[in-house]
Amino acid sequence: MSNFLPKLKRAAGLAALVLGASLVLQHSAFAGETLEKIKARGTIKVGVGTSPGFFSPDSNGKWQGFFVDFGRALAVTVFNDPEKVEFTSSSPQQRLPALQAGEFDILLSGVTQTITRSFKLGFHFGPVVFYDGQGLLVNKSLGVTKGTDLDGATIGVQSGTTGELNIADFFRKSGKSFKPVVIEDTKEFIAALESGRVDALTQDASDLAIKRTQLSKPDEYVLLPERLSKEPLAPAIRGGDDEWLEIVNWTVYATIQAEELGITKDNIDSFLTSEDPAIKRFLGTDPSLGEAIGLDPKFAYNIVKAVGNYGEIFERNIGKGTPVGFERGYNQPWTQGGLLYSPPFR
Amino acid sequence: MRELGMVGISVKERFFGSWGNTIVTVLFALLATVIILPLVNWAFIEATWSGAAQSCSERTGACWAFIVEKYRFIFFGLYPQQAQWQAFAATGFIALPVLITAIPRFWHSRLVVFWFLSIGLAVALMSGLFLGSPVPTQQWGGFPLTLLLAVVGFAGAFPLGVLLALGRRSQMGIFRALSIAFIELMRGVPIIAVLYIATLLFPLMLPAGASLDKLLRVQVALILFVSAYIAEIVRAGLQAVPAGQYEAAQSLGFSTVKTLRLVVLPQAFRAVIPAFVTLGIGIFLDTTLVIVIGLFDFLNTARVATTDAQWLGFYAEAYTVTGLVYFLLAYAASRYSLWLEAHLRPVKAEPSKQDMTAIRFPAGEKGAIVMRVSRESVERAA
């Protein structure tokens, strides 16, 4: 997500990643091991990053954020206690090797799910919790409403990222032209837009949303709706442990399903008397389902009661009412035109 | 007649005495207005000292309210707030042996015992042993962590470094080869690689089920890394001790160990103390690299403090404060090094003063070998 470390370290990290991954591939296969270890230890070890709204310790040193809440939800599934989870900050360079080395049980640090990471590096991914993608941040005074309106515009891209290739592809496909300005420093990146040196900035939309808040007049700028690349951010775990993967899957699905059913942290108790069989199965008022899967029949109820549904997690940490001010975009239930879709709880 | 030199020259002459001086004066005055005035304006006049992030965004200066809000996090990281006095006290017990060792009057073998006690107490405090509620090392952070890594990294590496230096000069081929291999390997890789190996590769080499605390692994890696550099400094010191010193000691009947302990090493250390201080400053600043393996050292806590969604974007304030702390400590250490160098010089020039005695071989002849040893050591040898 963010690019705060110089390229040198990124190269070193890549070397470590390759070295680490090649070593560990020989002894993967941890079937069922992770959950046993977690239960013996009494806490879940979660690797996170540091980025406003997504994961950051507050002034009291307590971790807060969008991904952090999914870590707490996981602790509810396993222990029925949102505090039985230990967050460790991990740099983008070392997070995957560290997961492989067993430093974490799960990475909730905004890892993009890719085929290489699944097959070559041997990771499993849970459901996508955040659909990110490269966006465009422009000055409202340009009167631009979509990316293709930027014909002939000067666009700032951060050096050392894939952003430059994506934007070139985007304009080539639409037969339009643009002038790229490659900018290294983050402060300068923002300054270029404010001074009018560039007409637009392009980067991962989540990064741009945060950058927008740091402009002196954020309201004069707008994040265009297109996404030029796919950056599905998903929880990552070590390959080979199916049991743990399913726990992660259904923890995330529980938050998504709750939003689809309109169940929130505050109104959940009013649903306990519902006669709708789908709600009865979901909340565990009909315990037969929980018994069948070997989890606490009320695990979904406990999750929503502790951290809220997906929408609540989103709005509380990165939504419109927060300084990050992110639009729901793709990140809303399929029933409302988004990409969030939970398989049925049956 | 006027005396030459800066003292006697009037202000006018000093700044505008010649064309060259005038130009330099004007240039620097311009530079001062361009850099210093906006800086003072930012840091003091337009600064916000209290309140929430909102009150900061209404003013153009520094937001020191951010530091007021975050100083606990920046200095102690994720350490539990109600137990932070322990981290504070631990900082003192890590710094104490360093301060005492800095004073030549206290240089004594008993210092080693004091080091163990003080650092042990600091680690026990950080672990929360005295309160009965243990604090896992994942929650250690901020200034105490930086200090612990640097101080233990250096102090722990010292004995190992001396052994390696002696090994490298040893007549026994196997020791020499092993020492050279270790030193060159450690000096040949970047510190980041050593940190990655300690955090990522080492756990894979452990037997299944076994695990070693991450901070401990990093600390050991740092000690091994630093020891190679110390070894090379000590070796330089050993080379500065004339061969006559060895020969004289041996002819007095000193064993090899005694020769080293009482005659050679004290002289070797004295010769390279400034190099040790320089290395110490370097290690202290290099500990910031642990950011790449996710430890919350003092620099990382400052960086992470700026990612709080309620307090976004106060990079300048966070880095100004940490930068100042690093600078003050490194600057103090470098001034200390200069003082120490000056303080130690007379001892080298006049070895026979006070507690030192000079032995000549053969007695009284011109061109004889002079060996400097302490009286105590002569008595002990006798």
Side-chain angles (χ1 to χ4, degrees):
Chain A
M1 294 174 74
S2 47
N3 299 303
F4 51 80
L5 283 160
K7 269 187 245 167
L8 181 75
K9 285 175 194 164
R10 206 174 300 151
L14 196 66
L17 178 81
V18 172
L19 196 58
S22 60
L23 260 172
V24 286
L25 272 184
Q26 293 151 15
H27 53 119
S28 49
F30 293 93
E33 217 182 49
T34 314
L35 188 62
E36 266 170 48
K37 269 202 226 158
I38 289 169
K39 284 193 167 152
R41 195 192 303 127
T43 60
I44 305 173
K45 286 186 168 183
V46 177
V48 292
T50 45
S51 185
F54 289 95
F55 10 57
S56 175
D58 62 17
S59 299
N60 301 323
K62 192 172 154 68
W63 283 94
Q64 307 288 357
F66 177 79
F67 283 101
V68 169
D69 281 344
F70 283 99
R72 296 200 202 285
L74 211 46
V76 173
T77 310
V78 178
F79 295 112
N80 194 15
D81 180 350
E83 301 306 319
K84 289 199 169 169
V85 56
E86 214 173 78
F87 296 99
T88 309
S89 149
S90 177
S91 65
Q93 292 77 30
Q94 67 121 26
R95 56 193 186 180
L96 289 173
L99 172 66
Q100 197 63 277
E103 202 184 310
F104 318 119
D105 302 312
I106 182 167
L107 262 183
L108 282 166
S109 63
V111 187
T112 304
Q113 181 173 9
T114 65
I115 189 167
T116 320
R117 285 172 174 164
S118 291
F119 285 97
K120 277 203 153 165
L121 300 175
F123 295 104
H124 278 338
F125 288 90
V128 174
V129 291
F130 190 86
Y131 289 93
D132 205 353
Q134 193 173 334
L136 285 159
L137 183 65
V138 298
N139 195 319
K140 276 183 187 165
S141 66
L142 288 179
V144 171
T145 53
K146 54 184 195 295
T148 43
D149 292 347
L150 284 166
D151 196 10
T154 312
I155 297 178
V157 286
Q158 227 173 358
S159 60
T161 64
T162 50
E164 207 179 340
L165 302 173
N166 291 333
I167 187 91
D169 286 353
F170 174 75
F171 278 96
R172 195 174 301 136
K173 239 184 336 194
S174 58
K176 304 275 167 66
S177 70
F178 80 109
K179 278 196 285 296
V181 176
V182 180
I183 305 170
E184 174 76 55
D185 177 49
T186 304
K187 272 260 155 177
E188 204 193 323
F189 198 63
I190 299 173
L193 183 65
E194 287 197 306
S195 66
R197 193 176 143 210
V198 298
D199 301 315
L201 293 179
T202 184
Q203 209 180 14
D204 279 0
S206 60
D207 282 330
L208 285 178
I210 293 158
K211 289 229 165 71
R212 198 179 80 98
T213 65
Q214 291 170 25
L215 295 163
S216 54
K217 289 172 189 146
D219 294 335
E220 291 183 6
Y221 298 86
V222 65
L223 195 54
L224 295 181
E226 289 107 327
R227 295 294 174 264
L228 317 187
S229 70
K230 290 196 276 188
E231 305 285 344
L233 308 182
I237 65 167
R238 282 182 295 272
D241 194 334
D242 305 342
E243 184 191 18
W244 180 229
L245 178 65
E246 289 307 333
I247 289 173
V248 173
N249 284 343
W250 289 95
T251 300
V252 175
Y253 290 144
T255 66
I256 294 172
Q257 183 65 49
E259 187 178 17
E260 193 186 320
L261 293 170
I263 301 173
T264 68
K265 201 175 174 174
D266 295 326
N267 72 11
I268 187 164
D269 286 324
S270 68
F271 282 89
L272 287 175
T273 51
S274 167
E275 284 304 314
D276 182 340
I279 291 177
K280 280 180 88 169
R281 278 195 301 269
F282 180 68
L283 295 180
T285 38
D286 170 6
S288 59
L289 178 66
E291 277 158 16
I293 58 175
L295 287 173
D296 182 343
K298 300 195 80 167
F299 86 96
Y301 171 86
N302 294 335
I303 288 171
V304 178
K305 194 81 187 158
V307 298
N309 68 31
Y310 182 96
E312 289 175 281
I313 295 173
F314 190 100
E315 295 298 344
R316 180 168 64 231
N317 294 297
I318 50 178
K320 278 287 167 207
T322 68
V324 182
F326 214 78
E327 300 267 3
R328 287 294 293 267
Y330 295 131
N331 299 297
Q332 48 192 339
W334 65 286
T335 46
Q336 290 163 45
L339 293 175
L340 302 175
Y341 184 101
S342 163
F345 279 68
R346 66 185 318 146
Chain B
M1 274 224 337
R2 295 263 303 276
E3 273 182 46
L4 288 173
M6 292 296 281
V7 184
I9 301 175
S10 75
V11 172
K12 194 185 164 196
E13 270 181 77
R14 200 187 292 171
F15 290 108
F16 301 100
S18 67
W19 274 110
N21 282 3
T22 310
I23 291 169
V24 169
T25 303
V26 170
L27 276 180
F28 271 88
L30 276 176
L31 201 67
T33 44
V34 168
I35 293 174
I36 295 174
L37 283 183
L39 193 67
V40 169
N41 196 35
W42 176 79
F44 299 103
I45 299 169
E46 283 291 319
T48 313
W49 300 88
S50 61
Q54 254 63 40
S55 45
C56 281
S57 59
E58 287 156 17
R59 292 170 69 89
T60 55
C63 180
W64 299 124
F66 167 76
I67 301 295
V68 173
E69 171 76 16
K70 292 285 180 186
Y71 79 97
R72 269 171 174 267
F73 184 79
I74 293 175
F75 274 88
F76 297 115
L78 298 169
Y79 205 85
Q81 216 160 50
Q82 69 281 7
Q84 266 169 11
W85 64 270
Q86 296 182 105
F88 185 77
T91 312
F93 282 111
I94 303 167
L96 192 63
V98 181
L99 294 177
I100 288 183
T101 310
I103 305 167
R105 200 189 327 152
F106 294 116
W107 290 355
H108 191 278
S109 55
R110 262 179 298 199
L111 258 184
V112 178
V113 181
F114 180 72
W115 267 92
F116 270 104
L117 287 178
S118 199
I119 297 291
L121 193 58
V123 172
L125 272 167
M126 284 295 278
S127 318
L129 284 185
F130 295 107
L131 276 193
S133 60
V135 182
T137 56
Q138 287 93 330
Q139 294 184 16
W140 298 16
F143 193 69
L145 182 73
T146 289
L147 207 60
L148 184 78
L149 285 172
V151 170
V152 175
F154 193 89
F158 196 83
L160 187 60
V162 172
L163 283 181
L164 283 168
L166 293 173
R168 190 161 191 172
R169 283 166 60 93
S170 161
Q171 306 295 318
M172 278 178 277
I174 177 81
F175 284 129
R176 196 169 62 234
L178 284 176
S179 301
I180 290 175
F182 180 84
I183 291 169
E184 295 306 329
L185 181 72
M186 279 296 171
R187 280 173 19 117
V189 291
I191 192 162
I192 290 184
V194 177
L195 292 175
Y196 275 132
I197 290 168
T199 48
L200 302 177
L201 292 189
F202 184 74
L204 301 173
M205 300 168 194
L206 288 177
S211 73
L212 206 57
D213 185 77
K214 178 173 159 189
L215 183 62
L216 185 64
R217 278 182 269 138
V218 170
Q219 184 71 77
V220 169
L222 214 54
I223 287 174
L224 294 178
F225 185 80
V226 176
S227 70
Y229 287 82
I230 287 187
E232 288 301 277
I233 291 177
V234 172
R235 190 165 69 98
L238 290 173
Q239 279 166 347
V241 178
Q245 298 289 316
Y246 293 87
E247 289 157 12
Q250 236 121 59
S251 66
L252 268 181
F254 282 27
S255 68
T256 311
V257 174
K258 271 190 175 167
T259 305
L260 285 173
R261 196 162 63 89
L262 301 171
V263 180
V264 178
L265 282 179
Q267 294 185 64
F269 288 157
R270 270 166 201 253
V272 292
I273 279 171
F276 279 145
V277 178
T278 308
L279 180 68
I281 296 172
I283 298 305
F284 175 62
L285 299 179
D286 276 351
T287 55
T288 52
L289 290 173
V290 298
I291 195 170
V292 300
I293 49 165
L295 288 187
F296 274 39
D297 79 309
F298 189 46
L299 184 67
N300 202 10
T301 52
R303 187 187 69 75
V304 169
T306 64
T307 64
D308 185 340
Q310 304 304 320
W311 294 86
L312 274 180
F314 298 111
Y315 304 107
E317 290 81 356
Y319 290 135
T320 303
V321 168
T322 32
L324 264 179
V325 172
Y326 277 108
F327 172 75
L328 286 179
L329 288 172
Y331 184 70
S334 103
R335 297 306 298 180
Y336 162 75
S337 167
L338 289 179
W339 171 82
L340 189 67
E341 223 177 311
H343 182 83
L344 291 176
R345 206 172 290 136
V347 182
K348 284 183 76 181
E350 295 166 63
S352 57
K353 264 193 183 166
Q354 291 174 6
D355 63 341
M356 299 296 280
T357 186
I359 304 169
R360 282 169 174 275
F361 304 95
E365 259 179 52
K366 245 191 179 176
I369 297 160
V370 178
M371 183 173 74
R372 302 163 199 135
V373 287
S374 70
R375 287 229 173 85
E376 193 197 4
S377 58
V378 176
E379 281 155 21
R380 260 194 253 161

